[in-house]
Amino acid sequence: MTDRTKGYLFGAASAAAYGINPIAKIMYDDGMNVDSVLCYRYILATFFLAALMVVRHESFRITLKETMLLFSMGLMFSVSSITLFISYQYIDVSIASTLLFCYPAFVAIIMMTMFKEKPDMTSICSIVLVGIGIVVLNADSYGTVENMVGVAIVILSSLVYAVYMVFVQKTCISKLSSLKVAFYSILFGSTIYIVRLKGMTELQTPPTYQSGICALALAIFPTLVSITTLALAIRYIGSTATAILGSLEPVTAVLIGIIIFGERPSILAYLGMIIILAAVTVLVAAPKLKTLTKNKTIINIGKDILVRGMGNNNNK
């Protein structure tokens, strides 16, 4: 198996694992609240990530500045998680997960407005398409206050996650390993649930064995498995190809929604999902395509020079 094949497999595994988040709805059906569900996910994931760092002999040391930034990022990560998981109570998990995938478009908008990055036509068109996709996706929801509230909440989740991604890229945190960033983001982010659950005194115990399994699965698959396979995928095939494979996240969520929860999205909903996935994929892939096109031009120029040189030699 080639390294590239391994990269694609790891990338697909990472995206698919993250798309398992909607199983949280099973815990809701058993009577658990959002804070308890996420508290179990974050605390268990913290232990798993710490163990992985020990196995990989990775240092836990961070500076005071990094601590402050990571604490802020942890809070943002938690807010994004809370809003996403709350949205599952209002709208189908398939729609929520697709809307969450709008975050690359929000990252592009933030980079344009806050960091004065020059927008290109690809970015502008992709952002417009994302907007159209959101409108089409929710065409059946107009007039339904509950659905529109759910849509607004998950868009907020996507926006907060986009800010988190910009922090990773534009601060000194970018120099830290992805595993260390994930560990401290989740560790510091868990403080929100400790506070909201009044020092864990209001933490609900999983009432059924299936809720307990779901709590463990949320800590393992969307967190531990997704993060580790993501790092491996980026190593083998790069960040662009890995990000494109991220479109499997909402696909996994759609399948979970249909198979486990019996959701039946409308034709318009499917069309909106396709538009959003296509727009985000183009947005992510555009820089790589430009590089390939540029390299191809350089190669062609080199061939022309070589052919001309051979022709001159023949004439001699």
Side-chain angles (χ1 to χ4, degrees):
M1 185 182 295
T2 64
D3 286 349
R4 193 161 191 80
T5 301
K6 291 179 183 177
Y8 284 124
L9 290 176
F10 284 129
S14 175
Y18 194 80
I20 294 175
N21 269 321
I23 64 172
K25 201 168 183 179
I26 294 175
M27 301 173 75
Y28 298 159
D29 293 340
D30 283 341
M32 295 187 67
N33 58 44
V34 173
D35 290 315
S36 292
V37 170
L38 283 169
C39 188
Y40 281 114
R41 177 192 173 185
Y42 271 57
I43 290 177
L44 289 172
T46 298
F47 283 112
F48 288 142
L49 288 168
L52 184 60
M53 289 180 70
V54 170
V55 170
R56 296 180 60 174
H57 304 290
E58 187 159 339
S59 172
F60 287 86
R61 183 175 299 176
I62 52 176
T63 65
L64 178 60
K65 182 179 180 180
E66 290 169 346
T67 301
M68 295 174 64
L69 285 172
L70 285 167
F71 186 80
S72 300
M73 291 169 60
L75 296 183
M76 285 188 283
F77 201 82
S78 276
V79 169
S80 181
S81 295
I82 291 173
T83 47
L84 174 64
F85 277 46
I86 289 176
S87 73
Y88 292 157
Q89 299 176 331
Y90 291 91
I91 57 178
D92 289 350
V93 295
S94 53
I95 293 177
S97 299
T98 304
L99 290 174
L100 179 69
F101 195 63
C102 293
Y103 73 84
F106 287 133
V107 169
I109 293 172
I110 292 171
M111 297 301 286
M112 291 177 195
T113 56
M114 301 295 294
F115 296 95
K116 308 302 180 183
E117 284 197 359
K118 186 177 180 181
D120 54 24
M121 285 306 298
T122 302
S123 299
I124 294 172
C125 290
S126 295
I127 292 169
V128 170
L129 279 176
V130 166
I132 293 172
I134 292 173
V135 172
V136 173
L137 182 65
N138 299 284
D140 293 337
S141 300
Y142 293 133
T144 306
V145 175
E146 184 175 286
N147 285 351
M148 295 310 295
V149 168
V151 170
I153 290 173
V154 75
I155 289 178
L156 174 61
S157 175
S158 181
L159 178 59
V160 173
Y161 188 68
V163 175
Y164 171 87
M165 295 295 290
V166 172
F167 259 68
V168 173
Q169 180 180 347
K170 289 296 184 178
T171 65
C172 61
I173 300 302
S174 61
K175 298 177 182 179
L176 302 179
S177 71
S178 58
L179 187 58
K180 183 180 288 188
V181 172
F183 169 74
Y184 280 108
S185 293
I186 292 174
L187 175 65
F188 293 141
S190 64
T191 58
I192 282 187
Y193 311 111
I194 295 173
V195 171
R196 286 171 61 91
L197 292 169
K198 298 180 180 179
M200 307 288 281
T201 58
E202 295 184 359
L203 178 67
Q204 295 174 309
T205 302
T208 64
Y209 75 90
Q210 67 178 11
S211 285
I213 292 174
C214 286
L216 188 61
L218 284 173
I220 293 175
F221 293 104
T223 311
L224 184 64
V225 172
S226 183
I227 288 172
T228 53
T229 52
L230 178 70
L232 290 169
I234 292 174
R235 181 189 304 173
Y236 286 123
I237 59 176
S239 58
T240 300
T242 302
I244 293 172
L245 286 171
S247 61
L248 289 175
E249 293 173 14
V251 172
T252 303
V254 170
L255 292 176
I256 288 176
I258 293 172
I259 296 171
I260 297 180
F261 302 113
E263 297 176 354
R264 293 293 181 269
S266 66
I267 298 299
L268 282 177
Y270 278 120
L271 179 59
M273 291 180 196
I274 292 171
I275 292 173
I276 291 172
L277 294 177
V280 174
T281 300
V282 169
L283 179 63
V284 173
K288 187 69 173 180
L289 292 175
K290 288 180 180 179
T291 301
L292 291 174
T293 303
K294 183 177 180 180
N295 290 340
K296 185 176 180 181
T297 303
I298 293 173
I299 292 173
N300 288 339
I301 292 173
K303 287 182 178 178
D304 289 341
I305 294 173
L306 180 61
V307 169
R308 289 175 185 174
M310 292 176 65
N312 290 337
N313 289 335
N314 290 336
N315 290 335
K316 289 179 182 179

